[in-house]
Amino acid sequence: MIETIRKNAVTLALFAVFTTGLTAVVNHVTKPTIVHQMALNQKNLLDQVVPTDLYDNKIQQECYLVSDPALGNSAPHALYLAHKQGQPVAVALETTAPNGYSGVIQMLVGADFHGKVLGVRVIEHHETPGLGDKIELRISDWINSFIGKVVHGADDKAFAVKKDGGEFDQFTGATITPRAVVNATKRTALLIETLSGRLSSLPECGDAHE
């Protein structure tokens, strides 16, 4: 009986060592591929909010951190800076809409330093399928309605959903979600306007965003 238990224990121990080693090998082999794929996905997202013909630098490597209440919370948000012939021309800035129907909505807003929105993408949300999820590009092209829009100051009434007197469509049966996205985009674009003179003082993201 004791011998059987001992054999089983040894077998289990050897199996644990084998599976742990195999997992470590697989992780070592696949990690570069995963990192590369994540970088490609990130670059693709950045290209959707800041057109590539506007800049000539490696935007992913120009990453800084911004903390401001206009971004929906007090957490640091990543800012990716686009240069053209050495001059900053636009940014892609992570932002948060804290007041979605089902919670926070994480976004990426591209804009220049004159209030012009170049593109918006929703990175993460928990909105209602069939209603609020129309903020996703794969569901609807509504998110592209921001392209080329200019925010004319904090009192710009046009930069709002139509139900609030603005020019952006709301969704049938769901106004809270698009309102949250529109307002977050407006706040973020207005903040970006103020950043051109502060870029040199922003902390770098570090290796996590390179």
Side-chain angles (χ1 to χ4, degrees):
M1 181 68 176
I2 296 177
E3 187 65 25
T4 301
I5 294 175
R6 183 181 293 114
K7 287 182 178 179
N8 289 340
V10 171
T11 300
L12 288 173
L14 291 173
F15 179 75
V17 170
F18 173 76
T19 54
T20 300
L22 181 61
T23 300
V25 170
V26 170
N27 180 67
H28 178 74
V29 172
T30 59
K31 185 176 180 179
T33 302
I34 294 173
V35 171
H36 178 67
Q37 189 59 50
M38 289 176 63
L40 289 177
N41 291 340
Q42 182 190 57
K43 182 60 167 62
N44 179 56
L45 191 63
L46 291 171
D47 289 346
Q48 292 179 50
V49 299
V50 180
T52 56
D53 60 347
L54 294 183
Y55 63 92
D56 54 17
N57 66 310
K58 294 181 178 180
I59 189 171
Q60 283 174 293
Q61 297 180 8
E62 292 276 350
C63 182
Y64 304 89
L65 294 175
V66 179
S67 297
D68 194 284
L71 300 177
N73 55 43
S74 59
H77 290 71
L79 176 150
Y80 299 90
L81 180 60
H83 282 274
K84 187 75 169 184
Q85 296 180 350
Q87 296 298 316
V89 293
V91 306
L93 180 55
E94 294 178 355
T95 189
T96 301
N99 50 351
Y101 183 79
S102 299
V104 299
I105 301 171
Q106 304 295 347
M107 301 161 48
L108 184 68
V109 174
D112 64 16
F113 298 107
H114 306 287
K116 183 179 180 180
V117 179
L118 305 172
V120 179
R121 287 293 180 270
V122 170
I123 301 172
E124 180 183 348
H125 74 90
H126 305 283
E127 300 303 281
T128 307
L131 292 173
D133 63 350
K134 292 178 183 177
I135 56 178
E136 290 186 50
L137 184 62
R138 67 181 183 85
I139 304 293
S140 164
D141 65 352
W142 176 84
I143 200 73
N144 285 331
S145 61
F146 290 101
I147 297 175
K149 300 295 185 182
V150 178
V151 184
H152 299 285
D155 297 326
D156 186 356
K157 304 299 184 183
F159 213 98
V161 294
K162 290 181 177 178
K163 191 172 183 178
D164 297 334
E167 59 184 33
F168 293 94
D169 291 331
Q170 57 264 351
F171 309 147
T172 302
T175 301
I176 294 176
T177 301
R179 178 186 287 134
V181 173
V182 171
N183 289 340
T185 300
K186 180 180 180 180
R187 291 193 301 270
T188 304
L190 287 171
L191 176 63
I192 291 172
E193 278 193 270
T194 71
L195 293 179
S196 59
R198 299 164 45 196
L199 294 172
S200 61
S201 65
L202 296 178
E204 295 184 7
C205 293
D207 294 341
H209 289 283
E210 288 181 359

